[in-house]
Amino acid sequence: MVENEKKEEKTPKIKPIIEAADNLSLGISIAVAVVMGVGIGILLKNLTGAGWTLWIGVFIGIAAAVLNVYKAYSKQYKEYEELAKEPRYAIKKQLQDDEDEDESEKNY
């Protein structure tokens, strides 16, 4: 019983908090990416004097925001795939097998 208590103490209690903050920070990272892109665009506009260089920064910021969303999606999808492999969530496979059997019985 003492060993179980030691194992519980060793598990990091802050890990779920960090994961939750990481998931919440997606919206903030999108906004920051766009603002930084606009800042780069303004800097380019001031350095070159050409007004169209502002749009280069805007597009860089939007591309960075899209990249952040893609990274978050791929991370969540990997977690979903790992979760789907667990036996207690095998109902999806059973439902698909049942649908396949129902379709094979309908021979017109």
Side-chain angles (χ1 to χ4, degrees):
M1 193 170 228
V2 175
E3 292 177 16
N4 290 338
E5 291 176 5
K6 288 181 181 179
K7 288 181 182 179
E8 290 177 9
E9 291 176 7
K10 290 181 181 179
T11 58
K13 296 179 181 180
I14 198 163
K15 184 178 179 181
I17 296 171
I18 292 172
E19 289 175 355
D22 186 41
N23 292 336
L24 286 175
S25 68
L26 179 61
I28 295 169
S29 70
I30 291 171
V32 168
V34 172
V35 169
M36 287 179 66
V38 170
I40 290 170
I42 291 172
L43 181 67
L44 287 173
K45 181 180 175 186
N46 290 339
L47 289 175
T48 62
W52 59 271
T53 56
L54 171 67
W55 294 103
I56 292 174
V58 170
F59 290 130
I60 289 172
I62 291 171
V66 169
L67 182 64
N68 288 340
V69 171
Y70 176 74
K71 286 180 180 180
Y73 169 77
S74 62
K75 180 180 175 185
Q76 291 295 322
Y77 189 76
K78 286 179 186 177
E79 290 178 9
Y80 167 74
E81 289 295 321
E82 290 175 7
L83 190 63
K85 292 177 184 177
E86 290 188 18
R88 64 181 174 177
Y89 298 114
I91 188 71
K92 181 179 176 182
K93 185 176 181 180
Q94 291 173 356
L95 290 175
Q96 288 175 347
D97 291 342
D98 290 343
E99 288 176 4
D100 292 340
E101 290 174 5
D102 292 341
E103 290 175 8
S104 63
E105 291 175 1
K106 296 180 183 178
N107 292 332
Y108 295 102

